[in-house]
Amino acid sequence: MAHIRKAEGVIDWLDQRLAVKKLAKVMMTEYWIPKDINFLWAMGVVLVVLLKILIISGIFLLMYYKPDVNLAFDSVNYTIMQEVEYGWLWRHLHGVAASCIFLIIYIHMFTGIYYGSYKQGREMIWLTGMALFGIFSAEAFSGYMLPWGQMSYWAAQVITNLFGGIPFIGSDLVVWIRGDFAVADATLTRFFMLHVLLLPLAIITLVAVHFYALRIPHVNNQEAEELDFEAEAKKFQEGKKRESKVVPFWPVFLSKDFFVVGVFMVLFFYLVFYHYDFAMDPINFEPANSMKTPAHIYPEWYFLWSYEVLRGFFFPVGPIAAMDIGLAAFGFANVIFMIFPFLDRDPKVAPAHRRPRFKIWFWLLLIDMIILTIFGKLPPLGINTYIGFVAAISFILLFVALPFITKKDALGGTK
Amino acid sequence: MREFKILGVVIFFTLLVYWGVEPFAHSQMHPHVAPADFTFKDLGTLQKQGDPKTGADTFMNAGCIGCHGVQSQGMPAPMDNASASASFGVTPPDLSSAGAIYAENFLAALIKNPAHALKVEHKFNETRQHPMPAFYGLGDDLDQEIADIVAYLKSIAPKQMNGKEVFVDACQRCHDMKYDKMYTTSDRETLAGYMGINPPDLSMMIRSKGTEYLNIFINNPQKQLAGTSMPRVGLNEVAQEQVISYIEETGDRKKSQREAIGPKIIGFMLIFAVLAYLWKVKIWRELH
């Protein structure tokens, strides 16, 4: 047992028992981050802030929300939005943050892809990140169901139905997921449980693992320069701060992040107070009605690209039904990002602008996903279906081509 | 400089996605329709000058009060709500405020040919008659008689009404306003039979449809929802504005609070961002 002496103060008392000084060094003042970074490196901290907003607002909403098909809609739209003091604010914060967090996740993800921050030791960061993306998607989907509006109900109907396409077990699986033959009270209560308990637990755990996964391979930098962190940290500690290529997480890295968070929060609160329809679809302010199908059913914007991959295949090929091809493509779209590090055959870490073929591939992927997103919301009529089909096929082909393109870049050498 | 370039790229693609999934998608899903027409041009204008005194007699002789009440003039509805619902499918409106809230040419056209003025001719025909029979006149000039009735209704109408009163007279026969504890005066079962479906509760309509849509829809439902059994309401511009603000007060009661604290929180974050920037500059000064 450690020798305990009379404490000189609270910090010292804690330090003798919890080694808080060492902890602060490891976590903050001697956690080294490369200096050559831009504001895109602040997205992680923006995500943490948004996750905190979601958790805190969620706790307040949970105090009044009633997971029952007969009470849910009014508990949200009347009790929370009108009766509870500032209940509307918690709900707007929750809804808008849920949408914004996906925007930042996509920026964070594309930053990782652009700068090659997913390979050569950083695979676990990527894998935990993509697992987080998957669980966040489930969290968003289950949360969207809770107000029990028209879109809640019909999205639940359409999405749970997708599992019916899985061979052999499909129809049983749908019933198992719904807890009933149709989307009903049992469906709502179980998705409520997922939304407020199981998925948040998984998210918090995975976030911790995601952060931990950064410590060994370290954060990447703008030029993907391989740094000797120990040597650079030593320079910094010796006072050669200008010369050193690293900075401590606290206060240097975070001082920049606070500023980025501040700017982002101005936009965020503008959306919360004045421009929230994009995140809180008006159709969901109509109570769920199983007898009345909305004219247009579409998922939230962040699911549109994969939804369009599903919808893009609108004709059967030989004996395979259009629906089954779409489902296979949808499955492909949802797992392919997970194995990204293993599709990239170029062992060198470099930003896309130094990888001639990958650079083109990157921008094509981004544009294709934006086209998928936009057409994912449009009614599938006339020319829209063909554009959707071409974009969906292109998405798949881009990933099929990725190993070859990166291999070629590797052979050709980077600039 | 490089950071601004990157920021420009991020903003460009974010706005592109936003434009695609919001304004552009909505323009494709909800094609633009003509704005509300409070002159009810298709119904023409009132040609004759009506006389309220003559109108009062014509009104009594025409048999209006066989179905309608005029509470303000001491004429209660001839039937209670339950029996009226059972007879007509929906309770007939009390006419005390009709002259104040409906456009006069709409009222005239309605008296002459209800299904036409209400734009429900797709629902009613020779075999299924509209519950309100057309008025064929008392033998004199039909248009003059109608103009007199309209003049009479206008003369007895209240000068001032609030949004909730307009809702009671124009909407509540079919619609609930649950969040203000207002419920339809008709029997739900006969109403569902009459309309084909129970008309929706209007509590959250302001959030699900928005002011602009409601303004066009109430003025002419067929424009937004062809084939709907909801009749054209015929409210004049003032009354319709009042009823929409009542819908907004009920469905978006916290709007003023939201708009009041918005600038404060945004201002707080602006100050935070400026201070954070100054701190960042101070810390990074010795690093470059």
Side-chain angles (χ1 to χ4, degrees):
Chain A
M1 202 177 114
H3 175 67
I4 299 290
R5 53 193 161 64
K6 187 169 166 35
E8 288 158 18
V10 178
I11 301 286
D12 187 40
W13 191 91
L14 284 172
D15 193 41
Q16 290 185 47
R17 287 154 182 86
L18 297 175
V20 287
K21 285 179 186 162
K22 174 88 177 146
L23 187 70
K25 277 186 181 173
V26 171
M27 303 297 278
M28 306 282 278
T29 55
E30 290 181 14
Y31 171 21
W32 304 100
I33 311 282
K35 194 192 278 176
D36 183 22
I37 52 174
N38 59 52
F39 76 93
L40 291 171
W41 269 253
M43 293 305 126
V45 171
V46 175
L47 285 172
V48 170
V49 172
L50 284 171
L51 180 60
K52 278 183 187 160
I53 290 176
L54 284 168
I55 292 174
I56 294 168
S57 57
I59 287 171
F60 280 99
L61 294 172
L62 190 48
M63 292 183 198
Y64 291 96
Y65 175 73
K66 293 188 166 61
D68 178 314
V69 289
N70 295 315
L71 304 173
F73 186 85
D74 290 339
S75 76
V76 172
N77 287 303
Y78 186 67
T79 313
I80 290 172
M81 291 288 276
Q82 302 208 2
E83 293 287 276
V84 176
E85 283 291 336
Y86 294 98
W88 60 268
L89 178 58
W90 296 118
R91 185 181 181 204
H92 275 218
L93 283 170
H94 203 74
V96 174
S99 213
C100 286
I101 208 166
F102 274 93
L103 172 66
I104 308 295
I105 286 174
Y106 282 126
I107 295 174
H108 196 57
M109 207 171 125
F110 274 93
T111 303
I113 296 176
Y114 187 89
Y115 291 100
S117 315
Y118 49 82
K119 53 183 175 176
Q120 291 298 318
R122 297 200 177 92
E123 289 85 354
M124 280 311 293
I125 309 173
W126 181 265
L127 289 173
T128 50
M130 284 316 300
L132 273 169
F133 177 80
I135 297 182
F136 262 108
S137 302
E139 180 70 0
F141 172 68
S142 58
Y144 200 60
M145 201 184 295
L146 302 187
W148 208 244
Q150 272 289 68
M151 275 298 189
S152 303
Y153 177 85
W154 288 96
Q157 190 75 24
V158 171
I159 302 297
T160 53
N161 209 28
L162 288 182
F163 292 92
I166 296 173
F168 309 114
I169 55 166
S171 51
D172 290 335
L173 189 61
V174 173
V175 175
W176 184 73
I177 290 170
R178 289 177 177 168
D180 202 334
F181 295 105
V183 170
D185 198 60
T187 323
L188 177 62
T189 49
R190 62 184 48 206
F191 277 89
F192 171 68
M193 181 285 291
L194 287 174
H195 187 73
V196 304
L197 179 75
L198 192 55
L199 298 176
L201 272 180
I203 286 174
I204 292 166
T205 311
L206 267 170
V207 167
V209 180
H210 191 58
F211 287 175
Y212 176 63
L214 267 170
R215 292 307 293 256
I216 309 303
H218 285 286
V219 175
N220 196 7
N221 56 70
Q222 279 199 97
E223 292 304 326
E225 187 185 349
E226 207 177 310
L227 301 176
D228 179 346
F229 277 79
E230 276 175 40
E232 297 298 331
K234 202 154 169 266
K235 276 190 215 164
F236 190 93
Q237 283 171 320
E238 282 166 359
K240 290 184 256 174
K241 294 184 179 178
R242 266 172 238 271
E243 207 182 298
S244 173
K245 289 182 171 174
V246 297
V247 295
F249 184 70
W250 173 268
V252 181
F253 177 75
L254 275 185
S255 73
K256 192 173 179 177
D257 281 13
F258 279 17
F259 167 59
V260 176
V261 167
V263 173
F264 176 75
M265 283 291 119
V266 172
L267 170 70
F268 173 72
F269 281 111
Y270 164 73
L271 298 173
V272 165
F273 291 108
Y274 301 105
H275 205 92
Y276 37 75
D277 274 358
F278 79 98
M280 307 170 77
D281 198 294
I283 298 177
N284 221 24
F285 285 89
E286 270 177 50
N289 184 346
S290 60
M291 307 299 285
K292 185 180 156 201
T293 317
H296 306 282
I297 301 178
Y298 45 81
E300 287 291 87
W301 71 268
Y302 38 82
F303 293 141
L304 287 170
W305 67 271
S306 56
Y307 182 64
E308 185 62 8
V309 170
L310 169 80
R311 271 198 330 185
F313 297 88
F314 62 92
F315 49 83
V317 175
I320 314 169
M323 178 71 181
D324 293 335
I325 304 172
L327 263 178
F330 181 69
F332 175 88
N334 280 291
V335 297
I336 199 66
F337 276 104
M338 198 77 183
I339 59 167
F340 203 99
F342 313 105
L343 294 173
D344 185 337
R345 306 307 300 158
D346 185 349
K348 208 164 166 358
V349 181
H353 56 257
R354 285 201 274 126
R355 305 169 69 185
R357 292 170 192 84
F358 182 76
K359 183 172 111 183
I360 299 169
W361 185 92
F362 174 86
W363 293 111
L364 283 178
L365 175 73
L366 180 65
I367 290 164
D368 190 49
M369 284 179 72
I370 290 177
I371 293 173
L372 285 168
T373 300
I374 293 173
F375 283 84
K377 191 156 181 177
L378 299 181
L381 302 166
I383 186 82
N384 293 355
T385 52
Y386 293 96
I387 295 174
F389 171 69
V390 171
I393 276 277
S394 306
F395 179 84
I396 291 170
L397 291 179
L398 276 169
F399 276 94
V400 170
L402 183 59
F404 302 103
I405 282 169
T406 47
K407 189 85 199 166
K408 219 155 182 210
D409 267 346
L411 294 173
T414 50
K415 267 192 267 179
Chain B
M1 220 53 263
R2 192 185 199 178
E3 295 225 12
F4 283 110
K5 207 176 112 192
I6 297 168
L7 181 63
V9 171
V10 171
I11 290 175
F12 171 76
F13 283 112
T14 304
L15 287 179
L16 179 63
V17 171
Y18 173 78
W19 169 82
V21 299
E22 282 294 306
F24 177 64
H26 288 294
S27 75
Q28 298 287 301
M29 288 187 286
H30 314 287
H32 185 73
V33 295
D37 166 29
F38 291 102
T39 63
F40 299 98
K41 221 169 357 174
D42 61 309
L43 299 176
T45 47
L46 215 52
Q47 298 296 336
K48 302 278 163 83
Q49 186 70 31
D51 173 42
K53 284 215 181 68
T54 329
D57 295 334
T58 318
F59 181 77
M60 296 308 290
N61 296 334
C64 304
I65 56 167
C67 303
H68 294 282
V70 193
Q71 286 284 1
S72 68
Q73 305 304 304
M75 293 182 259
M79 282 189 251
D80 60 57
N81 284 341
S83 0
S85 281
S87 318
F88 306 113
V90 58
T91 52
D94 183 273
L95 299 180
S96 307
S97 69
I101 61 179
Y102 300 114
E104 58 177 22
N105 60 333
F106 173 80
L107 268 182
L110 174 69
I111 296 168
K112 206 171 184 173
N113 184 348
H116 178 69
L118 294 165
K119 283 196 179 282
V120 285
E121 284 170 304
H122 55 292
K123 251 180 74 185
F124 298 103
N125 48 42
E126 290 300 311
T127 46
R128 193 190 175 196
Q129 298 258 333
H130 191 276
M132 168 158 164
F135 176 57
Y136 290 109
L138 299 176
D140 283 333
D141 178 5
L142 175 63
D143 288 330
Q144 184 61 51
E145 287 173 353
I146 290 177
D148 290 341
I149 294 176
V150 172
Y152 165 69
L153 289 174
K154 287 182 81 167
S155 72
I156 61 166
K159 298 283 167 281
Q160 288 287 328
M161 288 178 77
N162 63 31
K164 188 169 177 167
E165 289 165 343
V166 177
F167 170 82
V168 168
D169 290 347
C171 318
Q172 204 191 353
R173 294 185 297 122
C174 296
H175 293 283
D176 291 341
M177 187 64 102
K178 209 161 67 173
Y179 292 175
D180 196 28
K181 300 188 173 60
M182 305 283 280
Y183 299 95
T184 172
T185 53
S186 303
D187 175 80
R188 281 177 207 284
E189 226 163 281
T190 53
L191 182 63
Y194 177 67
M195 296 301 286
I197 186 174
N198 258 318
D201 173 50
L202 301 186
S203 301
M204 289 309 291
M205 275 300 166
I206 199 71
R207 287 295 290 259
S208 65
K209 298 296 184 196
T211 310
E212 200 182 323
Y213 180 99
L214 288 177
N215 201 36
I216 295 170
F217 184 78
I218 298 170
N219 181 259
N220 183 356
Q222 302 300 329
K223 266 202 264 187
Q224 301 276 27
L225 202 59
T228 180
S229 55
M230 161 140 168
R232 165 156 75 177
V233 184
L235 291 174
N236 58 41
E237 198 165 0
V238 177
Q240 183 159 315
E241 213 168 273
Q242 283 179 311
V243 86
I244 292 176
S245 40
Y246 171 65
I247 293 174
E248 181 171 286
E249 282 155 28
T250 314
D252 197 8
R253 192 142 60 89
K254 301 292 181 173
K255 189 182 179 191
S256 53
Q257 194 182 46
R258 192 171 67 229
E259 287 176 350
I261 71 163
K264 291 179 192 157
I265 295 187
I266 293 170
F268 175 87
M269 288 321 304
L270 270 171
I271 295 168
F272 176 92
V274 170
L275 292 177
Y277 180 71
L278 296 174
W279 186 50
K280 183 232 154 202
V281 169
K282 182 176 161 252
I283 286 191
W284 282 73
R285 192 177 292 140
E286 55 182 41
L287 299 172
H288 283 305

